[in-house]
Amino acid sequence: IAAQTQTLTAENSANVEAAIAELEIAKESELLEQSYISRIGKAMEPVFKPLGFDWKMSVSVLTGLMAKEVVVSSMGILYHAGSDSDETSESLISKLQANRNANNIPLSAYMSFLVFVLLYFPCLGTLIAINKETKGIKWTLFSAAYPLVFAWIVSFGIYQLGAIF
């Protein structure tokens, strides 16, 4: 009986800890929904909605302006997978899959996101270097605008083609 009691106590303890962890994530999600970065992402959402991006993906694109490596870690934070997430993080992969299933997001939206991140303009440091080298704002703006528009058009095509199939 004592062994059974200890087993039941251990199971109850694990259930309570899991429930506490879920409540903490729900609290963090609520705080995140009311944050400034959430407001910025939701303001950007109309531009990226035709590509299948939600506000969290839009924010990840925005943070990627500093360095493209930041995109994945931003997604890890926004999807509550941890700030040390990388492209092989099981936690981030499972959170993205859960988000996809919960919000009925087609797989083509994630493909569109990947292509967009690969194609849109380089980081801010590169644009600053272009500005210094060309000694003018025209080429800097062109170097930012052209890849951005190109990435949007290609990503739009991928998302729309994916939605058909």
Side-chain angles (χ1 to χ4, degrees):
I1 294 177
Q4 289 177 341
T5 304
Q6 288 178 344
T7 303
L8 289 175
T9 303
E11 288 176 8
N12 288 341
S13 176
N15 290 340
V16 168
E17 289 176 14
I20 290 172
E22 283 184 38
L23 287 173
E24 287 176 357
I25 289 174
K27 179 182 175 184
E28 290 174 12
S29 294
E30 184 66 30
L31 290 173
L32 184 63
E33 287 286 331
Q34 298 172 0
S35 68
Y36 288 117
I37 198 77
S38 167
R39 292 177 188 165
I40 292 168
K42 289 176 182 174
M44 293 171 44
E45 200 170 20
V47 174
F48 291 109
K49 195 69 170 169
L51 307 179
F53 298 6
D54 62 359
W55 72 266
K56 293 176 183 179
M57 292 170 147
S58 301
V59 166
S60 295
V61 166
L62 181 65
T63 60
L65 295 177
M66 298 303 148
K68 287 193 179 186
E69 301 85 23
V70 179
V71 172
V72 176
S73 59
S74 296
M75 291 185 81
I77 292 168
L78 294 170
Y79 287 101
H80 302 290
S83 60
D84 59 344
S85 298
D86 63 6
E87 65 276 1
T88 60
S89 171
E90 291 296 324
S91 177
L92 180 58
I93 292 169
S94 66
K95 297 285 184 174
L96 288 172
Q97 287 173 343
N99 180 60
R100 180 174 170 247
N101 295 334
N103 297 319
N104 201 19
I105 297 173
L107 185 58
S108 60
Y110 290 110
M111 296 302 293
S112 171
F113 179 77
L114 291 174
V115 169
F116 186 86
V117 170
L118 287 173
L119 294 177
Y120 83 113
F121 61 87
C123 67
L124 197 57
T126 304
L127 291 176
I128 291 169
I130 290 170
N131 188 38
K132 285 184 178 184
E133 290 293 323
T134 60
K135 295 178 177 63
I137 194 76
K138 271 199 293 190
W139 281 108
T140 306
L141 291 176
F142 178 78
S143 298
Y146 180 75
L148 184 64
V149 170
F150 182 71
W152 195 95
I153 291 169
V154 172
S155 294
F156 177 79
I158 289 171
Y159 179 65
Q160 296 304 319
L161 282 174
I164 292 171
F165 298 108

